[in-house]
Each structure stands twice: as C-alpha cells, then as structure tokens.
Amino acid sequence: MHQFHPSILREYDIRGIIGETLSTADARAIGQAFGTMVREEGRETRVCVGRDGRLSSPELEEAVVEGLLASGTAVIRIGLGPTPMLYFAQKTLGTAGAIQITGSHNPPNHNGFKMMKGGKPFFGDDIRALGEMAASGSWASGSATVQTVDVRADYLKALLGGFSAGGKDLTVVWDPGNGAAGDMLQALVARLPGRHVVINAAIDGHFPNHHPDPTDPHTLVQLQEAVASEKAALGIAFDGDGDRLGVVDDRGRILWGDQFMVLLAKEVLAAHPGAPIIADVKASQLLFDQIAAMGGRPVVGRTGHSLIKTLMAEIGSPLAGEMSGHIFFADRYYGFDDALYAATRLLSIVARLPGTLGEWFDTLPRLVNTPELRFECADDAKVGVIETVRARLKKEGAEMSEVDGVRVLRPQGWWLLRASNTQAVLVARAEAKTETDLTILTKDLADYLVDAGLTPPDLMTTPTSHG
C-alpha cells in the first residue's frame, strides 16, 4: 500500500516538490499502479518511459521503471528528451502506455509525470483511480524485460516533415530555456534552411538563465534582445519539456498562442475547408472570429492539454491550441501537443509571407485585454463561487458560454471566470476594443465576485494590446 501526498494528484498530471510532496517511493508506486492498469486492459503491455533534464528526473525515472517491472509490465526506455518525443515513441512503437518524468515549466525543485494509456491522455478519473489502487495495494506483481530504444532519428524526420520548402531564408533565434528540447532543437535547426541562432541550448536542470515558461513575458526578454541584435525575422521559445512555445516577431513584440494560431489555422483550413478548429476558453475572440472568416468552424474548448486532445479526437479537428502555447496538429501529424513541430510549421508559413511577421501582425484588429488573472480561492469554495455567478447570469438572461466556467459576452467585449483544475485559484480574463470598455468589463466582473462573497483583487492590472 502507498499513500500519496494529497496535493500531487492533479487533474492533468501528477506534480510535486522533491523532498517535500514527491519522492522516489511515489515514483515507484506510480509505476506499479500504472503498469497494473495497463495489464488489466489487454495483451499489449509495453510502456515507454522518458524524462526531462531536471536534476531529480534520473532517479525518478529509475523508480518508475522499477515499479513498472514489478507489475510485470515491459519497459522501453526512451531517455532524455522533450515530452512530445515520448508521445511520438508511444504512437510509432504502438505501446500500451507512456510516462514522461517532467516538471514542465515549474521551478527546478519541482517534478512530475505526464502519462498516456491506450493512445489517449491519462488524466482526471484515471489519475484518481491510480491513487486509489496505490492506497489499497491491489496492484499486479511479476517480472518483465526492459530495453532502451533511440527514437531521435525518426522523431527528427517527423519534425522536418512539418516544414514546407519554397519560402525565403530567414534568420531565427531559438530559446529552449535550458530545457529538455535543447538537443533535439539543435539537431532540427541544423537541417532547416536559413540562419539559426540558439541560445540557452544546454540542458540544465538548474535553469540558470531564466524560468522555463514562454507565457511569462519576463522569460522572453533575453529572446527579444537576441532578435534585435541578430536582426532576426522572429524568435521562438519553449517551456521546460518542449510541449509549449512562445513567439516574438521581428520588432520584439510577443505573439500569444491565440494570435499566431491565426496563421496556423489559415494554412490548415486551406487543406481542410470548413474544419473545426479548437481554441481554449481563454483565447481571444479575435481568433474565433478569424477562424470563422476563413471558413472554419471555431470551437471553444475547456482549458487543459488532456481535455483539448480528447475533444480533438471526438470531433475530428485538424488543429487546436491554447493561449498557454500548447499547439496540437492532427493535420499531417499525430494530434498531440508538440512545440518543436508547431514551430517548424510556423517557420515555413512565416517564410512564405509577402512581408515580415511584424507587418502581418499589424493587419490584425486591435483589441485590449487583461493578462490571465489568477487569485486564491480554496478548493472547496471555488466551484461554489462559479455556480453562484452562473446562477445570477442565467437569471439575468446573459449571453454566455458554459464550456469551462463562464465566458460572458457583453456589448463591450467579454469576460471569463473559471476554476483552475490544478490549483486553489480562480482564473479571470477580459477583452474589449478599448481600454474604457475593458474597465467597464472588469468592474462588471468584480460586481459578480462581490455578490458571490469574494473581495475581488485588482482585475485590471496592465492591459495589453491584442492584435
């Protein structure tokens, strides 16, 4: 029997702090419970295991493998690399499951596990069932084999398949942020046309140069400076495990996921007219409007990479994305979030633009919005707050989406309030055409929070231009 710290079993993955809430004993129990669940489902019982470059990842990987073998589950070790490489291995080797040891974009002393089973994301009820199995100790036992397989050459070939030749050569600055994508990125750019400058390429679990989160503007400063000094056409950054990307144009301006998604959607819709394109509920209305204008069917999805992948498979969407920089291609690819592949697709599109990326960016309508606003709310209270707000909105006959929390449409624009699936916080965002309208929207949202019994934080902070 094994009891996990209650904070580490999250909605989309398992995450904790090394030496405080997460240990090698946890990793071994995860391996044995996961292996048991795989064995219960069918004759194929092999599981791929990979890891990122964090200091604690080698010992956690070793413990996961021990647990899998103890359950009688065969293991294929993929080694050090980005999370999408592990997903690729699972798809191409046809294994029953996959586990990546990664702390993603979290601080260096954090780590965790992202999993797949039966070719699908392992999350929600799956993770809860794993916890219950470990607590009861009702897992399988046996012996099995372990082998190491190098998929890097095949993965590189798949990444290069995302590049379409015929555009102009570009100077590009890349920043893997000392994360797990560093080695594969250097192999990739060596095969791409143009001039490529890679900063912070060495995989280093200390993350000595900046935090590995491309949605944090502070982490993109070094990239912006390099784009300026190299006179580059664009800059591309990655998170710690290579499944999210950030983009900077030739003028050093940040393009968020729901902005560069417009370019990606245009190319995909040319090949799949009328197709459903998914963006998460936090995405700008700009993206949904642009998808519709290009003849696509915009679909609002719940935030969370596992949820997006599941919805993609259900409705046959060729492309999906999140504001956080998770981009999912089922068009010419496997349907999982791979920042290296998405970057390669984006690069070939930018190379074929008649002008620069910055000139294209200037053609988008100008909107203003708050950043993503996160404020503390106890886990046992946050759902109640959302329900209180939803009930009032319904009583008033408000126009809204209830896909994930409430996204409320007003004459001035829209505001969102949702409960985080991974933390004891509420998440809010608002977007409008003018700063005056944005102020009206944030005051409107604050009124609903007060009515729900909360003292709202500063819901405005510094508005940013969108488009």
Side-chain angles (χ1 to χ4, degrees):
M1 294 185 292
H2 183 89
Q3 291 286 344
F4 296 110
H5 191 282
S7 68
I8 73 171
L9 301 180
R10 308 296 185 95
E11 180 69 16
Y12 312 127
D13 50 34
I14 299 173
R15 283 182 283 157
I17 303 172
I18 297 299
E20 295 182 24
T21 61
L22 183 62
S23 67
T24 54
D26 293 322
R28 192 184 191 283
I30 288 166
Q32 190 158 7
F34 185 81
T36 301
M37 297 172 78
V38 164
R39 288 190 62 187
E40 289 175 347
E41 289 213 347
R43 287 179 292 179
E44 170 56 62
T45 61
R46 296 175 303 157
V47 171
C48 291
V49 179
R51 64 177 177 87
D52 70 10
R54 288 170 184 265
L55 303 181
S56 59
S57 290
E59 63 180 3
L60 291 178
E61 191 262 3
E62 185 70 37
V64 164
V65 170
E66 288 178 4
L68 287 165
L69 295 175
S71 73
T73 304
V75 175
I76 298 177
R77 280 179 139 147
I78 303 303
L80 171 61
T83 295
M85 188 173 81
L86 187 276
Y87 295 156
F88 172 83
Q90 188 279 321
K91 294 285 188 182
T92 56
L93 298 176
T95 61
I99 302 176
Q100 175 82 354
I101 290 83
T102 177
S104 186
H105 61 281
N106 291 308
N109 63 332
H110 291 229
N111 217 323
F113 311 84
K114 293 181 178 179
M115 294 172 280
M116 295 178 67
K117 181 168 69 71
K120 299 178 181 179
F122 186 91
F123 70 105
D125 290 340
D126 297 321
I127 291 176
R128 285 184 281 275
L130 183 148
E132 291 167 2
M133 177 178 290
S136 67
S138 57
W139 43 38
S141 60
S143 61
T145 60
V146 58
Q147 61 177 311
T148 299
V149 175
D150 188 346
V151 300
R152 288 175 296 179
D154 289 339
Y155 179 51
L156 176 60
K157 183 178 179 180
L159 295 176
L160 289 166
F163 187 82
S164 300
K168 52 187 176 288
D169 286 352
L170 302 175
T171 295
V172 185
V173 179
W174 305 80
D175 183 6
N178 300 113
D183 291 350
M184 284 305 308
L185 174 61
Q186 291 184 92
L188 173 63
V189 300
R191 300 279 298 274
L192 292 173
R195 185 170 77 91
H196 300 276
V197 178
V198 183
I199 62 175
N200 305 323
I203 299 174
D204 185 341
H206 292 100
F207 301 111
N209 294 291
H210 59 70
H211 188 62
D213 183 356
T215 61
D216 180 350
H218 297 292
T219 70
L220 297 176
V221 170
Q222 193 179 1
L223 179 65
Q224 291 168 318
E225 293 171 345
V227 166
S229 64
E230 298 290 342
K231 296 180 171 56
L234 73 161
I236 300 176
F238 303 91
D239 70 338
D241 69 328
D243 61 7
R244 295 190 297 124
L245 74 159
V247 178
V248 170
D249 75 2
D250 49 295
R251 302 180 205 174
R253 295 176 297 182
I254 299 170
L255 278 69
W256 302 112
D258 53 359
Q259 294 173 321
F260 62 77
M261 268 280 291
V262 175
L263 274 177
L264 302 178
K266 182 177 181 180
E267 181 187 58
V268 169
L269 286 169
H272 304 276
I277 306 294
I278 302 169
D280 76 318
V281 71
K282 293 184 289 186
S284 170
Q285 189 62 36
L286 166 74
L287 174 57
F288 297 114
D289 291 346
Q290 291 282 319
I291 291 169
M294 293 185 289
R297 179 162 64 90
V299 178
V300 179
R302 293 174 62 195
T303 295
H305 63 93
S306 297
L307 298 168
I308 293 283
K309 280 179 273 199
T310 301
L311 180 58
M312 281 185 81
E314 288 175 354
I315 68 174
S317 172
L319 174 68
E322 293 186 287
M323 259 203 73
S324 61
H326 285 280
I327 305 295
F328 313 76
F329 275 97
D331 172 56
R332 294 162 42 196
Y333 206 55
Y334 297 95
F336 55 74
D337 39 339
D338 189 333
L340 287 166
Y341 181 80
T344 305
R345 292 283 293 256
L346 179 65
L347 180 61
S348 62
I349 293 170
V350 173
R352 297 195 303 274
L353 289 174
T356 66
L357 179 59
E359 289 169 344
W360 172 83
F361 191 30
D362 285 339
T363 68
L364 294 180
R366 289 289 173 191
L367 301 173
V368 290
N369 53 60
T370 67
E372 182 178 308
L373 304 163
R374 304 171 71 85
F375 50 98
E376 293 182 2
C377 184
D379 277 322
D380 57 359
K382 61 188 182 184
V383 175
V385 170
I386 298 295
E387 290 303 322
T388 299
V389 172
R390 179 185 284 116
R392 177 180 164 188
L393 288 164
K394 284 186 173 181
K395 185 177 180 180
E396 295 169 349
E399 185 178 357
M400 64 178 173
S401 166
E402 299 178 58
V403 168
D404 187 358
V406 288
R407 177 170 166 143
V408 183
L409 298 179
R410 298 297 200 202
Q412 297 82 9
W414 60 269
W415 57 258
L416 167 73
L417 183 68
R418 60 179 292 271
S420 169
N421 287 311
T422 57
Q423 294 175 290
V425 299
L426 291 172
V427 180
R429 192 169 186 240
E431 180 180 72
K433 291 182 180 180
T434 68
E435 290 193 23
T436 299
D437 284 342
L438 190 62
T439 300
I440 293 171
L441 288 172
T442 55
K443 286 181 177 177
D444 184 41
L445 170 56
D447 176 64
Y448 282 85
L449 291 172
V450 169
D451 186 58
L454 292 183
T455 301
D458 181 358
L459 292 174
M460 192 70 177
T461 66
T462 303
T464 58
S465 177
H466 218 96

